[in-house]
Amino acid sequence: MSLQRLTRLTGFLRSLAIYHGRPGRLKRETAFLGSLIHAGDLCFDVGAHAGNRTRSLAHLGAQVIALEPQPLFARFLAWFFRHQGSVTILPWAVGADSGEVKLNISPRTPTTTTVSRDFVKVAARTEGFQQVRWTEHLIVPQTTLDQLIARHGQPRYCKIDVEGYEAEVLEGLSVPLTIISIEYLGQNPQPAIKALTRLQELGDYRYNASPGESMKFHFPEWRSAKEMSDWLEAGAEGQPFGDIYAVRANETDLLDRLQKVA
C-alpha cells in the first residue's frame, strides 16, 4: 500500500472512530436533536462527513438528504445507510451556484476538507491547524440549497458543516428555513459571522450555541444576530468549535420549548 493511500485510510478510520466509536454519542445527539425535529420531518445534512448527524436524524424518524463530496466518505455513507430508505446520499458539494468546484482535501485530517480557499489560508496560520495539510485536490459537482428544495422539498432543519464555506452555502438559498445550524471556530469566527449576516438577509432568526460536542445549548436565552456575532468576535468564551443554531423568530412555541431545554 502506498504512503498516500495509507494516509488516506488512516484519516478515514480516525473520522469513523471520532463520530461512530465514542460511547453514548448517538444517545446524546438523538436526545438533543429530538428537541428540534419530529418523525417524518425532512432534514438536510450538508457536509455529512462520517454520517453521525444523519444517523441521529434517521434514528428520530426524519427523512434525510445527506450531502458529502469526499468520495471515500460518500461511498461509506451509501454503504452504511444502504438499507435505510429514509436516507438519500448525494456525493455533491453545496454552494452559491451549481456547477463544479475544487475540493481541498486533507487526507490525514479529512474533517478539515473544504471548498473554501480562504479557510485554508487562515487555518494554516491558526493554532491547532499547524499540522494540517491539504495535499489533495479534486473537482466535484456542486448544487445549491434552492435546487435541493426544488427536488426534495423544503426541510425543517438544515445542518451546514463545511469548514468555512457556510456563507457560500447560504448564498444558494432564497427562502428562510425553520431551523439551520452552522459550524463555528473560536479562533476563526469570520466565516460564521458572515453566515449569520446572510441568515438575517433571509429572515429574522434567534440564535444559540452548542459548544464542541456538548449537545447542549450554551445560553439560557436565545440571542439576536448581533449578540451572537459579538460573542463570536470576542472569542466564543474560549470554545474552539461548535455549532450555532438559528430558529426563525416567528416560531414562538418552538423557541419557548427550547428555552426550557437550554
Side-chain angles (χ1 to χ4, degrees):
M1 180 181 292
S2 69
L3 179 60
Q4 184 181 42
R5 290 183 64 188
L6 180 61
T7 300
R8 194 180 300 140
L9 178 61
T10 300
F12 171 71
L13 293 175
R14 178 175 177 271
S15 283
L16 293 192
I18 291 171
Y19 294 106
H20 291 279
R22 292 182 176 174
R25 184 187 183 109
L26 176 62
K27 183 178 179 180
R28 290 194 311 274
E29 194 167 78
T30 301
F32 177 72
L33 292 173
S35 67
L36 301 172
I37 69 149
H38 309 98
D41 284 341
L42 177 64
C43 300
F44 291 173
D45 186 354
V46 179
H49 195 55
N52 60 292
R53 188 62 56 91
T54 292
R55 178 180 63 165
S56 296
L57 291 168
H59 190 76
L60 289 165
Q63 299 287 320
V64 187
I65 309 299
L67 296 105
E68 174 51 54
Q70 294 187 72
L72 183 57
F73 286 92
R75 290 195 296 270
F76 167 75
L77 294 175
W79 171 82
F80 190 81
F81 294 106
R82 65 193 183 282
H83 299 308
Q84 204 136 9
S86 62
V87 175
T88 299
I89 306 299
L90 300 175
W92 304 337
V94 182
D97 48 38
S98 60
E100 293 182 328
V101 291
K102 184 169 78 170
L103 194 63
N104 304 290
I105 301 173
S106 174
R108 186 190 299 267
T109 53
T111 55
T112 63
T113 291
T114 180
V115 173
S116 173
R117 288 174 292 181
D118 288 340
F119 177 84
V120 171
K121 292 176 183 176
V122 173
R125 55 179 186 269
T126 300
E127 184 179 353
F129 284 84
Q130 288 90 344
Q131 304 304 315
V132 177
R133 298 291 183 270
W134 292 267
T135 57
E136 296 183 11
H137 306 279
L138 184 67
I139 302 300
V140 298
Q142 177 172 274
T143 188
T144 69
L145 288 176
D146 278 345
Q147 289 174 331
L148 290 168
I149 289 170
R151 181 175 177 181
H152 300 282
Q154 185 168 314
R156 173 179 174 81
Y157 168 52
C158 179
K159 165 244 173 182
I160 307 171
D161 184 347
V162 287
E163 307 306 309
Y165 201 57
E166 287 80 8
E168 286 77 5
V169 172
L170 292 169
E171 288 292 337
L173 177 66
S174 61
V175 295
L177 305 180
T178 302
I179 307 165
I180 296 175
S181 68
I182 60 169
E183 184 190 33
Y184 72 85
L185 296 175
Q187 292 185 319
N188 181 19
Q190 291 308 314
I193 292 172
K194 184 179 176 183
L196 294 185
T197 300
R198 174 57 186 158
L199 278 171
Q200 286 303 115
E201 293 172 352
L202 289 168
D204 190 15
Y205 283 89
R206 296 294 177 267
Y207 301 89
N208 211 326
S210 178
E213 303 290 347
S214 65
M215 294 299 141
K216 295 179 180 178
F217 289 123
H218 183 64
F219 299 106
E221 295 183 354
W222 287 67
R223 298 190 160 198
S224 68
K226 183 181 186 310
E227 288 172 326
M228 187 58 69
S229 295
D230 289 346
W231 181 75
L232 290 168
E233 190 73 62
E237 299 179 40
Q239 298 290 341
F241 70 96
D243 294 305
I244 300 294
Y245 284 81
V247 175
R248 290 197 68 188
N250 62 2
E251 295 285 337
T252 54
D253 289 345
L254 175 59
L255 285 167
D256 287 344
R257 179 161 51 82
L258 292 176
Q259 193 118 325
K260 296 174 183 176
V261 174

